[in-house]
């Protein structure tokens, strides 16, 4: 009798996905609901790891121990049931079930609250379709393992897209002696993180490596099997052979298994500020859903780690009956290639009549702040990025630049001592 | 909560706090092998200022750390497992106090983890004999400042 009562009062929280949004939610759920049951469904075969490290793992810059951030013991200690190699196939939001394939077996798992934290996967196009033998993305442990096994000295790889992941993958591959060509449609590397000047600096630094070549303003129009290699055809008419190809032109949210439900999806899941979806007791967090721009308050797709971590936590609070709202974030990223750091915060490439730029330029350092009505809206730095977060604080806090530069702490930023241009 | 408090007027940039921090807790640089402190006293136009982790309650650095090197410890402090850091400087990008010590030659970022004196007197505070640096909660600190002000009043 007593047991049934206990059972009724304790709830089952199910989380689909097993990266940062999922584990940050699980940890919060456990803290707030000591007696509830928590289940994580992850389609990968391994426990949670630092996804952003897979290119470092590819390049032997970190080992397995470093890569894996959460051992199975971590889940055990928190009494979180971890189901690996378990893929969600369908969700029934009326009767509250998740249908899964667990290590090949079909199963039905019931939930009281559900968190969708399935993240995103690389996009492939007709001109470079997914091919397990040689055309893959760089998104998970499996991808890293496969690239590692292909990355032999003297091999040739083509990377499509010179964004963040593309360049990091290139960086990892050349460490194995693989000759790498990165092709990018845009005139700059790192997408919206750079302007022309910063792009040149990054590209120069990377292509100093004799095995690494970056070609801008070009794209891949077809790839076909050519013996045990691939023939890649470029838009400019060029052709070349490659042993394997890495697609890194962007990601799409993993929402296929939610089709036909009452969860509103517009390429990404439409959540509210509490991470609630349009289906009752179903939440979403991380790369799979939208988030607020902390300054403009618009809904944007900001698929970065800090957003996923915060959204997971906020979702868990609301799943536990606490009313918490996520205040949002702004697009940003930071990376280091051969000791050249690049940090970009806000919309670096924004150009308009009412935008004013302040720039600092020396042989090693390049910094640029953009102001609208005297308030900073973006900051980009290469070479010296020290203290960048202070400008981020001013962007989010809408602190007028004139006021910001009078703060003693701001003096460490080279761009602060510049006059307007 | 206890935190570092700095009275710029009292500081004459003697750098004893930095030296002590470097000796006890700091990080050694790759090339020079020199120990660098986590605490930094900088010379600003209006006098000295402090660059040091405030162990904020809503620590954005912990969320931003893509390798889970920065974490919130059981006592609420922001701690770091330096061995996990890969030097992406995401933390430096979000720290509103500019407190992360980015060491390019090591490709790592470092911060004060209060390893030297969690609840007692941290080394840097102990080393400060100018009365410029304290580790105390805000109320105690405000009382201290008030007392100092009264002391400075002209004697009647
Ligand atoms: C190489 C690389 C470098 C990066 N570097 C940075 C960086 O420096 N800074 C930064 O901010 N961000 C970076 N990112 C982005 C960052 O990793 C993501 O924003 C973050 O991982 C999102 O976390 P998430 O939990 O939302 O989803 P994900 O990390 O995508 O995890 C989702 C998980 O769900 C699983 N899953 C998907 N569908 C199902 C299903 N149907 N059933 C069960 N499980 C499923 C997936 O296999 C995956 O394990 C990087 C990403 C990559 C790939």
């Amino acid at each position: 009798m007593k047991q049934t009562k206990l059972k009724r009062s304790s709830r089952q929280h199910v989380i689909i996905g097993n990266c940062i949004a999922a584990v940050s939610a699980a940890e919060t759920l456990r803290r707030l609901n000591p007696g509830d049951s928590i289940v994580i469904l992850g389609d990968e075969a391994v426990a949670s790891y630092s996804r952003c490290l897979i290119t470092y793992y590819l390049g032997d810059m970190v080992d397995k121990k470093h890569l894996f951030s959460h051992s199975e013991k971590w889940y055990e200690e928190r009494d979180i049931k971890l189901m690996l190699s378990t893929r969600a196939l369908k969700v029934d939001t009326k009767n509250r079930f998740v249908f899964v394939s667990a290590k090949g077996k079909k199963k039905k798992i019931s939930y009281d609250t559900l968190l969708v934290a399935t993240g995103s996967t690389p996009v492939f196009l007709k001109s470079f379709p997914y091919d397990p033998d040689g055309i893959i993305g760089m998104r998970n442990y499996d991808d890293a393992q496969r690239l590692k096994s292909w990355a032999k000295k003297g091999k040739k790889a083509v990377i499509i897209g010179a964004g963040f992941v593309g360049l990091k993958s290139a960086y990892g591959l050349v460490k194995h002696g693989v000759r790498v060509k990165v092709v990018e449609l845009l005139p700059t590397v790192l997408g919206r993180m750079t302007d022309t000047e910063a792009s040149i600096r990054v590209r120069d630094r990377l292509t100093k490596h004799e095995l690494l070549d970056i070609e801008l303003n070009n794209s891949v129009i077809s790839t076909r099997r050519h013996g045990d290699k691939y023939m890649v055809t470029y838009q400019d008419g060029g052709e070349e052979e490659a042993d394997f190809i890495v697609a890194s032109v962007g990601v799409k949210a993993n929402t296929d298994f939610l089709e036909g439900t009452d969860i509103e999806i517009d390429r990404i899941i439409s959540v509210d500020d509490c991470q609630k979806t349009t289906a009752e007791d179903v939440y979403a967090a991380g790369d799979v859903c939208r988030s607020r721009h902390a300054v403009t308050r618009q809904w944007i797709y900001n698929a970065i780690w800090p957003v996923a971590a915060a959204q997971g936590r906020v979702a868990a609070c609301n799943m536990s009956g606490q009313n918490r709202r996520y205040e949002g974030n702004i697009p940003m990223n930071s990376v280091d290639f051969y000791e050249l750091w690049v940090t970009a915060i806000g919309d670096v490439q924004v150009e308009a009549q009412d935008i004013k730029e302040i720039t600092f330029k020396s042989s090693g350092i390049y910094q640029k702040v953009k102001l609208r009505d005297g308030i900073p809206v973006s900051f980009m730095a290469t070479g010296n990025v020290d203290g960048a977060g202070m400008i981020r604080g001013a962007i989010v806090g809408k602190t007028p630049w004139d006021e910001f530069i009078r703060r003693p702490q701001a003096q460490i930023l080279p761009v602060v001592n510049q006059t307007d241009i | 909560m206890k935190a570092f408090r700095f009275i710029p007027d009292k500081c004459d940039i003697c750098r004893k706090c930095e030296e002590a921090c470097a000796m006890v807790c700091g990080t050694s640089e790759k090339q020079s092998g020199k120990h660098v402190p986590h605490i930094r006293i900088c010379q600003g136009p209006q006098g000295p200022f402090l660059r040091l982790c405030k162990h904020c309650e809503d620590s954005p650095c912990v969320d931003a750390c893509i390798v889970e090197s920065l974490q919130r410890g059981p006592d609420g402090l922001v701690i770091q497992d330096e061995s996990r850091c890969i030097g992406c400087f995401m933390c430096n990008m979000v720290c509103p106090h500019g407190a992360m010590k980015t060491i390019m030659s090591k490709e790592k970022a470092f911060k004060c983890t209060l390893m030297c004196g969690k609840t007692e007197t941290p080394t840097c505070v102990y080393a400060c004999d100018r009365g410029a640096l304290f580790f105390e909660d805000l109320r105690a600190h405000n009382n201290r400042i008030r007392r100092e002000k009264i002391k400075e009043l002209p004697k009647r």
Side-chain angles (χ1 to χ4, degrees), chain A residues 16-21 41-44 51-52 54-55 86-88 117-120 138-139 164-165 168 254 257 285-287 303-306 308 333-334, chain B residues 66 90:
Chain A
I16 315 178
N18 184 27
C19 192
I20 183 62
L41 315 172
D43 66 353
E44 295 187 58
R51 188 168 308 284
C52 313
I54 56 174
T55 56
T86 301
R87 190 176 180 76
T118 46
S120 55
M138 184 53 168
R139 182 70 195 182
F164 213 76
V165 177
K168 280 189 168 185
N254 292 323
F257 66 103
D287 276 18
I304 54 173
W305 184 274
N333 229 323
S334 183
Chain B
I66 58 174
M90 291 278 292

Short mmCIF file of all heavy atoms in Angstrom, two decimals, chain A residues 16-21 41-44 51-52 54-55 86-88 117-120 138-139 164-165 168 254 257 285-287 303-306 308 333-334, chain B residues 66 90, ligand 1:
data_model
loop_
_atom_site.label_atom_id
_atom_site.label_comp_id
_atom_site.label_asym_id
_atom_site.label_seq_id
_atom_site.Cartn_x
_atom_site.Cartn_y
_atom_site.Cartn_z
N ILE A 16 15.62 13.06 -23.88
CA ILE A 16 16.14 12.47 -25.12
C ILE A 16 17.36 13.27 -25.55
O ILE A 16 17.28 14.48 -25.73
CB ILE A 16 15.09 12.48 -26.26
CG1 ILE A 16 13.73 12.02 -25.75
CG2 ILE A 16 15.56 11.62 -27.42
CD1 ILE A 16 12.63 12.06 -26.81
N GLY A 17 18.48 12.58 -25.70
CA GLY A 17 19.75 13.25 -25.99
C GLY A 17 20.64 13.12 -24.76
O GLY A 17 20.14 12.91 -23.65
N ASN A 18 21.94 13.23 -24.98
CA ASN A 18 22.86 12.98 -23.87
C ASN A 18 24.10 13.85 -23.95
O ASN A 18 25.21 13.41 -23.67
CB ASN A 18 23.22 11.49 -23.86
CG ASN A 18 24.09 11.12 -22.68
OD1 ASN A 18 24.05 11.77 -21.64
ND2 ASN A 18 24.90 10.09 -22.84
N CYS A 19 23.92 15.10 -24.42
CA CYS A 19 25.09 15.99 -24.39
C CYS A 19 24.83 17.07 -23.34
O CYS A 19 24.12 16.85 -22.37
CB CYS A 19 25.40 16.54 -25.77
SG CYS A 19 27.02 17.35 -25.84
N ILE A 20 25.38 18.26 -23.53
CA ILE A 20 25.39 19.24 -22.45
C ILE A 20 23.99 19.68 -22.00
O ILE A 20 23.72 19.79 -20.80
CB ILE A 20 26.28 20.45 -22.80
CG1 ILE A 20 26.35 21.44 -21.64
CG2 ILE A 20 25.83 21.14 -24.07
CD1 ILE A 20 26.95 20.89 -20.37
N ALA A 21 23.06 19.89 -22.95
CA ALA A 21 21.71 20.31 -22.55
C ALA A 21 21.09 19.23 -21.68
O ALA A 21 20.44 19.51 -20.67
CB ALA A 21 20.84 20.58 -23.78
N LEU A 41 17.93 9.02 -22.63
CA LEU A 41 18.00 8.18 -23.81
C LEU A 41 19.00 8.79 -24.78
O LEU A 41 18.80 9.90 -25.25
CB LEU A 41 16.64 8.10 -24.50
CG LEU A 41 15.41 7.88 -23.61
CD1 LEU A 41 14.14 8.03 -24.43
CD2 LEU A 41 15.48 6.51 -22.97
N GLY A 42 20.08 8.09 -25.05
CA GLY A 42 21.08 8.62 -25.97
C GLY A 42 21.35 7.64 -27.09
O GLY A 42 21.53 6.45 -26.83
N ASP A 43 21.36 8.12 -28.32
CA ASP A 43 21.54 7.17 -29.42
C ASP A 43 23.00 6.82 -29.67
O ASP A 43 23.31 5.91 -30.43
CB ASP A 43 20.86 7.67 -30.70
CG ASP A 43 21.49 8.92 -31.25
OD1 ASP A 43 22.38 9.49 -30.58
OD2 ASP A 43 21.11 9.35 -32.35
N GLU A 44 23.90 7.53 -29.02
CA GLU A 44 25.30 7.16 -29.19
C GLU A 44 25.64 6.00 -28.25
O GLU A 44 24.93 5.77 -27.28
CB GLU A 44 26.21 8.37 -28.91
CG GLU A 44 26.00 9.49 -29.93
CD GLU A 44 27.00 10.63 -29.76
OE1 GLU A 44 28.20 10.36 -29.84
OE2 GLU A 44 26.56 11.78 -29.55
N ARG A 51 31.67 17.49 -26.67
CA ARG A 51 31.54 17.46 -28.13
C ARG A 51 32.56 18.39 -28.80
O ARG A 51 33.12 18.06 -29.85
CB ARG A 51 30.12 17.87 -28.53
CG ARG A 51 29.83 17.69 -29.99
CD ARG A 51 28.35 17.81 -30.31
NE ARG A 51 27.53 16.94 -29.48
CZ ARG A 51 27.41 15.63 -29.64
NH1 ARG A 51 28.06 15.02 -30.61
NH2 ARG A 51 26.64 14.92 -28.83
N CYS A 52 32.79 19.55 -28.20
CA CYS A 52 33.68 20.52 -28.82
C CYS A 52 35.13 20.04 -28.86
O CYS A 52 35.97 20.67 -29.49
CB CYS A 52 33.61 21.85 -28.07
SG CYS A 52 31.94 22.39 -27.74
N ILE A 54 36.03 17.00 -30.01
CA ILE A 54 36.27 15.87 -30.91
C ILE A 54 37.34 16.17 -31.97
O ILE A 54 38.06 15.28 -32.37
CB ILE A 54 34.97 15.35 -31.58
CG1 ILE A 54 34.25 16.46 -32.31
CG2 ILE A 54 34.07 14.67 -30.56
CD1 ILE A 54 33.04 15.97 -33.11
N THR A 55 37.45 17.44 -32.37
CA THR A 55 38.51 17.74 -33.35
C THR A 55 39.89 17.70 -32.68
O THR A 55 40.88 17.39 -33.32
CB THR A 55 38.31 19.12 -34.00
OG1 THR A 55 38.23 20.10 -32.97
CG2 THR A 55 37.03 19.16 -34.83
N THR A 86 20.30 4.05 -27.65
CA THR A 86 18.84 4.06 -27.61
C THR A 86 18.32 5.27 -28.36
O THR A 86 18.58 6.41 -27.96
CB THR A 86 18.34 4.10 -26.14
OG1 THR A 86 18.85 2.95 -25.47
CG2 THR A 86 16.83 4.11 -26.07
N ARG A 87 17.64 5.01 -29.43
CA ARG A 87 17.20 6.10 -30.30
C ARG A 87 15.70 6.31 -30.18
O ARG A 87 14.94 5.36 -30.28
CB ARG A 87 17.57 5.72 -31.73
CG ARG A 87 17.39 6.83 -32.70
CD ARG A 87 17.87 6.45 -34.09
NE ARG A 87 17.65 7.58 -34.96
CZ ARG A 87 18.43 8.66 -34.97
NH1 ARG A 87 19.47 8.72 -34.20
NH2 ARG A 87 18.14 9.69 -35.77
N ALA A 88 15.29 7.54 -29.95
CA ALA A 88 13.86 7.85 -29.92
C ALA A 88 13.34 7.84 -31.35
O ALA A 88 13.93 8.48 -32.23
CB ALA A 88 13.63 9.21 -29.28
N ALA A 117 16.40 17.07 -26.08
CA ALA A 117 17.72 17.70 -26.15
C ALA A 117 18.56 16.95 -27.17
O ALA A 117 19.67 16.50 -26.88
CB ALA A 117 18.39 17.68 -24.77
N THR A 118 17.99 16.80 -28.36
CA THR A 118 18.62 15.95 -29.38
C THR A 118 19.61 16.70 -30.26
O THR A 118 20.16 16.11 -31.20
CB THR A 118 17.54 15.28 -30.26
OG1 THR A 118 16.57 16.27 -30.63
CG2 THR A 118 16.84 14.18 -29.50
N GLY A 119 19.81 17.97 -30.02
CA GLY A 119 20.86 18.70 -30.72
C GLY A 119 20.68 18.79 -32.22
O GLY A 119 19.56 18.84 -32.72
N SER A 120 21.80 18.79 -32.91
CA SER A 120 21.74 18.97 -34.36
C SER A 120 22.74 18.05 -35.05
O SER A 120 23.63 17.49 -34.41
CB SER A 120 22.04 20.43 -34.70
OG SER A 120 23.29 20.79 -34.14
N MET A 138 31.44 16.16 -39.10
CA MET A 138 32.26 16.05 -37.90
C MET A 138 31.40 16.53 -36.74
O MET A 138 31.35 17.73 -36.45
CB MET A 138 33.53 16.89 -38.06
CG MET A 138 34.51 16.77 -36.91
SD MET A 138 34.96 15.07 -36.52
CE MET A 138 36.34 15.34 -35.42
N ARG A 139 30.69 15.61 -36.13
CA ARG A 139 29.75 16.01 -35.10
C ARG A 139 29.85 15.16 -33.84
O ARG A 139 29.59 15.62 -32.76
CB ARG A 139 28.32 15.90 -35.66
CG ARG A 139 27.23 16.33 -34.71
CD ARG A 139 27.25 17.82 -34.51
NE ARG A 139 26.45 18.19 -33.33
CZ ARG A 139 26.25 19.43 -32.93
NH1 ARG A 139 26.78 20.43 -33.59
NH2 ARG A 139 25.54 19.69 -31.86
N PHE A 164 33.70 27.29 -38.29
CA PHE A 164 34.32 26.84 -37.07
C PHE A 164 34.75 25.38 -37.09
O PHE A 164 35.90 25.03 -36.87
CB PHE A 164 33.24 27.04 -36.02
CG PHE A 164 33.73 27.39 -34.71
CD1 PHE A 164 34.17 28.67 -34.47
CD2 PHE A 164 33.75 26.45 -33.70
CE1 PHE A 164 34.62 28.99 -33.23
CE2 PHE A 164 34.21 26.78 -32.47
CZ PHE A 164 34.64 28.05 -32.23
N VAL A 165 33.78 24.52 -37.39
CA VAL A 165 34.02 23.07 -37.33
C VAL A 165 34.92 22.62 -38.47
O VAL A 165 35.82 21.79 -38.29
CB VAL A 165 32.68 22.30 -37.34
CG1 VAL A 165 32.93 20.80 -37.36
CG2 VAL A 165 31.84 22.68 -36.12
N LYS A 168 38.51 23.64 -37.60
CA LYS A 168 39.02 22.82 -36.50
C LYS A 168 39.32 21.40 -36.96
O LYS A 168 40.29 20.78 -36.52
CB LYS A 168 38.01 22.78 -35.35
CG LYS A 168 38.02 24.01 -34.46
CD LYS A 168 37.13 23.74 -33.27
CE LYS A 168 37.29 24.77 -32.18
NZ LYS A 168 36.50 24.40 -30.98
N ASN A 254 17.79 18.08 -34.88
CA ASN A 254 17.30 16.71 -34.94
C ASN A 254 15.86 16.64 -34.42
O ASN A 254 15.62 16.43 -33.24
CB ASN A 254 18.18 15.79 -34.08
CG ASN A 254 19.56 15.64 -34.67
OD1 ASN A 254 19.72 15.58 -35.90
ND2 ASN A 254 20.56 15.58 -33.82
N PHE A 257 11.94 12.73 -35.48
CA PHE A 257 11.10 11.79 -34.71
C PHE A 257 9.90 12.48 -34.05
O PHE A 257 9.08 11.83 -33.43
CB PHE A 257 11.96 11.08 -33.66
CG PHE A 257 12.49 12.00 -32.59
CD1 PHE A 257 11.90 12.02 -31.33
CD2 PHE A 257 13.54 12.86 -32.85
CE1 PHE A 257 12.37 12.90 -30.36
CE2 PHE A 257 14.00 13.73 -31.88
CZ PHE A 257 13.42 13.75 -30.64
N ALA A 285 15.64 21.93 -25.18
CA ALA A 285 16.81 22.76 -24.83
C ALA A 285 17.98 22.43 -25.74
O ALA A 285 18.10 21.31 -26.23
CB ALA A 285 17.21 22.49 -23.37
N GLY A 286 18.80 23.44 -25.99
CA GLY A 286 20.04 23.24 -26.74
C GLY A 286 19.89 23.49 -28.24
O GLY A 286 19.00 24.22 -28.68
N ASP A 287 20.77 22.86 -28.99
CA ASP A 287 20.85 23.07 -30.44
C ASP A 287 19.55 22.71 -31.18
O ASP A 287 19.43 23.01 -32.36
CB ASP A 287 21.97 22.19 -31.03
CG ASP A 287 23.33 22.85 -30.90
OD1 ASP A 287 23.46 23.79 -30.09
OD2 ASP A 287 24.26 22.42 -31.61
N ALA A 303 23.14 28.20 -31.82
CA ALA A 303 23.54 26.83 -31.47
C ALA A 303 24.94 26.82 -30.87
O ALA A 303 25.89 26.37 -31.51
CB ALA A 303 23.46 25.93 -32.69
N ILE A 304 25.08 27.30 -29.66
CA ILE A 304 26.38 27.28 -28.99
C ILE A 304 26.25 26.62 -27.62
O ILE A 304 25.17 26.54 -27.04
CB ILE A 304 27.00 28.69 -28.85
CG1 ILE A 304 26.05 29.66 -28.17
CG2 ILE A 304 27.45 29.20 -30.21
CD1 ILE A 304 26.66 31.01 -27.85
N TRP A 305 27.36 26.16 -27.14
CA TRP A 305 27.43 25.41 -25.88
C TRP A 305 26.82 26.15 -24.68
O TRP A 305 26.00 25.58 -23.96
CB TRP A 305 28.91 25.08 -25.64
CG TRP A 305 29.18 24.24 -24.46
CD1 TRP A 305 29.36 24.67 -23.18
CD2 TRP A 305 29.30 22.82 -24.43
NE1 TRP A 305 29.60 23.61 -22.35
CE2 TRP A 305 29.57 22.46 -23.09
CE3 TRP A 305 29.21 21.81 -25.40
CZ2 TRP A 305 29.76 21.14 -22.70
CZ3 TRP A 305 29.41 20.50 -25.01
CH2 TRP A 305 29.67 20.17 -23.68
N PRO A 306 27.19 27.40 -24.44
CA PRO A 306 26.67 28.08 -23.24
C PRO A 306 25.14 28.18 -23.25
O PRO A 306 24.52 28.10 -22.18
CB PRO A 306 27.28 29.49 -23.30
CG PRO A 306 28.38 29.43 -24.29
CD PRO A 306 28.15 28.25 -25.18
N ALA A 308 23.07 25.98 -24.68
CA ALA A 308 22.55 24.64 -24.40
C ALA A 308 22.63 24.33 -22.90
O ALA A 308 21.69 23.79 -22.31
CB ALA A 308 23.33 23.60 -25.20
N ASN A 333 31.60 33.30 -30.16
CA ASN A 333 32.46 32.12 -30.18
C ASN A 333 33.90 32.54 -30.02
O ASN A 333 34.25 33.69 -30.25
CB ASN A 333 32.29 31.31 -31.46
CG ASN A 333 32.08 29.84 -31.14
OD1 ASN A 333 32.69 29.32 -30.21
ND2 ASN A 333 31.23 29.19 -31.88
N SER A 334 34.70 31.57 -29.63
CA SER A 334 36.11 31.85 -29.40
C SER A 334 36.92 30.62 -29.77
O SER A 334 36.53 29.50 -29.47
CB SER A 334 36.32 32.19 -27.92
OG SER A 334 37.66 32.53 -27.69
N ILE B 66 33.51 24.84 -22.52
CA ILE B 66 33.10 23.73 -23.38
C ILE B 66 33.75 22.41 -22.99
O ILE B 66 33.42 21.37 -23.55
CB ILE B 66 33.40 24.03 -24.87
CG1 ILE B 66 34.90 24.32 -25.08
CG2 ILE B 66 32.56 25.18 -25.38
CD1 ILE B 66 35.30 24.48 -26.53
N MET B 90 36.79 30.68 -24.21
CA MET B 90 35.35 30.97 -24.12
C MET B 90 35.05 31.69 -22.80
O MET B 90 34.23 32.59 -22.73
CB MET B 90 34.52 29.67 -24.17
CG MET B 90 34.50 28.93 -25.48
SD MET B 90 33.31 29.54 -26.70
CE MET B 90 31.74 29.14 -25.96
C1 LIG C 1 33.62 20.09 -33.53
C2 LIG C 1 32.71 21.01 -32.78
C3 LIG C 1 33.24 22.09 -32.11
C4 LIG C 1 32.42 22.96 -31.39
N1 LIG C 1 33.01 24.01 -30.74
C5 LIG C 1 32.22 24.86 -30.03
C6 LIG C 1 32.80 25.95 -29.32
O1 LIG C 1 34.01 26.16 -29.32
N2 LIG C 1 31.97 26.77 -28.63
C7 LIG C 1 30.61 26.57 -28.61
O2 LIG C 1 29.91 27.34 -27.95
N3 LIG C 1 30.05 25.55 -29.26
C8 LIG C 1 30.81 24.69 -29.98
N4 LIG C 1 30.21 23.64 -30.65
C9 LIG C 1 28.74 23.50 -30.59
C10 LIG C 1 28.32 22.72 -29.34
O3 LIG C 1 28.97 21.50 -29.31
C11 LIG C 1 26.81 22.53 -29.34
O4 LIG C 1 26.20 23.79 -29.26
C12 LIG C 1 26.36 21.69 -28.15
O5 LIG C 1 26.96 20.43 -28.17
C13 LIG C 1 24.84 21.52 -28.14
O6 LIG C 1 24.46 20.63 -27.13
P1 LIG C 1 23.08 19.83 -27.15
O7 LIG C 1 23.04 19.08 -25.88
O8 LIG C 1 21.98 20.76 -27.46
O9 LIG C 1 23.09 18.85 -28.41
P2 LIG C 1 24.20 17.84 -29.02
O10 LIG C 1 25.52 18.13 -28.47
O11 LIG C 1 24.01 17.86 -30.48
O12 LIG C 1 23.73 16.44 -28.46
C14 LIG C 1 22.55 15.81 -28.83
C15 LIG C 1 22.65 14.33 -28.55
O13 LIG C 1 21.39 13.73 -28.82
C16 LIG C 1 21.55 12.56 -29.59
N5 LIG C 1 20.34 12.30 -30.36
C17 LIG C 1 19.92 12.91 -31.49
N6 LIG C 1 18.74 12.38 -31.90
C18 LIG C 1 18.41 11.42 -31.01
C19 LIG C 1 17.31 10.52 -30.89
N7 LIG C 1 16.31 10.51 -31.77
N8 LIG C 1 17.30 9.66 -29.84
C20 LIG C 1 18.30 9.66 -28.93
N9 LIG C 1 19.36 10.50 -28.99
C21 LIG C 1 19.41 11.36 -30.02
C22 LIG C 1 22.77 12.89 -30.44
O14 LIG C 1 23.39 11.73 -30.93
C23 LIG C 1 23.65 13.63 -29.44
O15 LIG C 1 24.40 12.74 -28.68
C24 LIG C 1 31.02 22.75 -31.37
C25 LIG C 1 30.48 21.66 -32.05
C26 LIG C 1 31.30 20.79 -32.75
C27 LIG C 1 30.70 19.61 -33.47
#
